[in-house]
Amino acid sequence: MRLTAEQLAQYERDGFVVLPDLFTPDEVASMKGELARIQAIDTDHLVRERSGGVAKTIYRVHEADGPTASPIFHAAARSPRLLPPARQLLGDEALYVYHTKCNLKTAIDGSVWQWHQDYGTWRNDGVPEADPMSTALLMLDEPTEANGCLYFIPGSHKVGLVEPEFDDRTTSYKLWVVPKQRLVEIMEKSPEPVPIVGRPGTVVFFHPLILHASGHNLSRFDRWQVYFVYNRVSNRPIDVPSPRPDYVRSTNWAPLRIGSDDLLATMGEASHA
Ligand code: SIN
Ligand code: MN
């Protein structure tokens, strides 16, 4: 799969590009089955909501080993549907997965992500530059405004990095967020935030400097999403004191090779192995 010149221009202008229905209902069902299995596992690769103890985030589903490994996510990260577009957006063949995270914003319990830029955290991980990174968001449910879809401020990736502050109070997940004063200033000069809604199977590539946030899940429906973060091998982090664990700041920077597009077959092989 290749992005058109128009899609590349959209990403450059808005900081994101939406690719509807990239994965099939059967693939999405299989991925959801995997996350239902993994969320029961007791591991530090999984963060739980403050209320209820349900899984908020599951990391590192894309590798072949580890407690949260899953063959279908391993295949998806390397699939012809995600890897070639990531290569186009980053202008380089040699990419690796910086991390994967699955945000299970569960009905009623699923909680807020305050306004932030992802590179505000990744800079602290030692990543030299923002532009050589891009995230593919994959919708596993239908995100809506009521169930806590993501919001983007279009074009905000062009503001550059806004010096973040550390929010360790709002939710169970500590996050480097955009300070309120700066946020309001940027919002006054920007288009209104857009809700990132769509059918399950839809993918949205977005820039690591785009301002984004999502609210609490007030609905009775889950809002599960998976994020595949790609980085150029040449942009891998420099050494930092006390680096974050491998499941958020991967040290597997071997260049990814394009794999099979038959994701369901990969699952079949695993279950018969
Ligand atoms: C994030 O921005 O990292 C996650 C937000 C969400 O899943 O709603
Ligand atoms: Mn984010």
Side-chain angles (χ1 to χ4, degrees):
M1 139 109 201
R2 285 193 66 77
L3 298 176
T4 63
E6 194 188 334
Q7 288 170 324
L8 291 168
Q10 265 173 33
Y11 182 88
E12 158 63 22
R13 184 191 64 216
D14 299 333
F16 66 97
V17 59
V18 181
L19 310 173
D21 304 320
L22 206 59
F23 291 87
T24 67
D26 283 350
E27 290 168 337
V28 167
S30 190
M31 290 178 185
K32 290 193 72 172
E34 279 293 87
L35 295 185
R37 172 182 70 76
I38 296 169
Q39 70 168 315
I41 297 171
D42 187 16
T43 163
D44 65 348
H45 292 32
L46 198 153
V47 179
R48 296 190 186 276
E49 296 283 357
R50 190 170 278 172
S51 62
V54 296
K56 179 180 176 86
T57 299
I58 300 170
Y59 290 106
R60 204 174 181 274
V61 290
H62 64 284
E63 294 286 12
D65 60 356
T68 49
S70 167
I72 195 158
F73 292 110
H74 180 276
R78 294 155 179 81
S79 72
R81 278 171 278 176
L82 289 185
L83 187 50
R87 286 177 171 176
Q88 279 180 282
L89 290 168
L90 301 185
D92 199 331
E93 294 285 295
L95 305 185
Y96 74 100
V97 175
Y98 189 71
H99 67 222
T100 44
K101 66 174 185 242
C102 311
N103 284 345
L104 313 189
K105 191 178 281 200
T106 305
I108 308 296
D109 289 308
S111 57
V112 63
W113 294 79
Q114 299 287 2
W115 287 101
H116 67 280
Q117 296 170 300
D118 289 336
Y119 186 68
T121 299
W122 302 338
R123 188 229 3 215
N124 296 341
D125 283 342
V127 179
E129 285 181 70
D131 284 343
M133 303 184 82
S134 187
T135 301
L137 175 175
L138 166 57
M139 300 172 184
L140 296 183
D141 293 306
E142 181 177 346
T144 64
E145 298 206 53
N147 72 15
C149 70
L150 210 60
Y151 291 84
F152 288 150
I153 300 181
S156 56
H157 61 305
K158 299 205 170 160
V159 172
L161 181 64
V162 181
E163 202 51 50
E165 66 186 18
F166 195 56
D167 177 2
D168 60 358
R169 288 160 287 116
T170 308
T171 67
S172 48
Y173 186 86
K174 301 172 179 50
L175 191 63
W176 288 94
V177 302
V178 178
K180 187 170 167 189
Q181 181 78 32
R182 282 291 288 130
L183 179 61
V184 173
E185 283 166 17
I186 294 166
M187 283 176 156
E188 281 169 355
K189 294 187 195 126
S190 303
E192 288 303 310
V194 290
I196 303 302
V197 295
R199 284 184 294 272
T202 295
V203 167
V204 183
F205 275 94
F206 64 95
H207 191 281
L209 286 173
I210 198 165
L211 267 76
H212 61 287
S214 66
H216 197 93
N217 186 345
L218 297 173
S219 81
R220 64 193 165 90
F221 302 106
D222 291 344
R223 192 235 62 181
W224 288 12
Q225 286 179 175
V226 184
Y227 300 80
F228 302 85
V229 182
Y230 294 94
N231 189 18
R232 278 193 207 153
V233 172
S234 60
N235 192 47
R236 63 179 176 262
I238 58 166
D239 287 344
V240 288
S242 314
R244 294 198 299 160
D246 192 84
Y247 60 83
V248 268
R249 177 189 178 272
S250 174
T251 50
N252 178 9
W253 29 69
L256 295 166
R257 287 207 304 256
I258 295 178
S260 165
D261 209 22
D262 191 346
L263 305 189
L264 295 173
T266 323
M267 280 303 290
E269 279 160 28
S271 61
H272 295 119

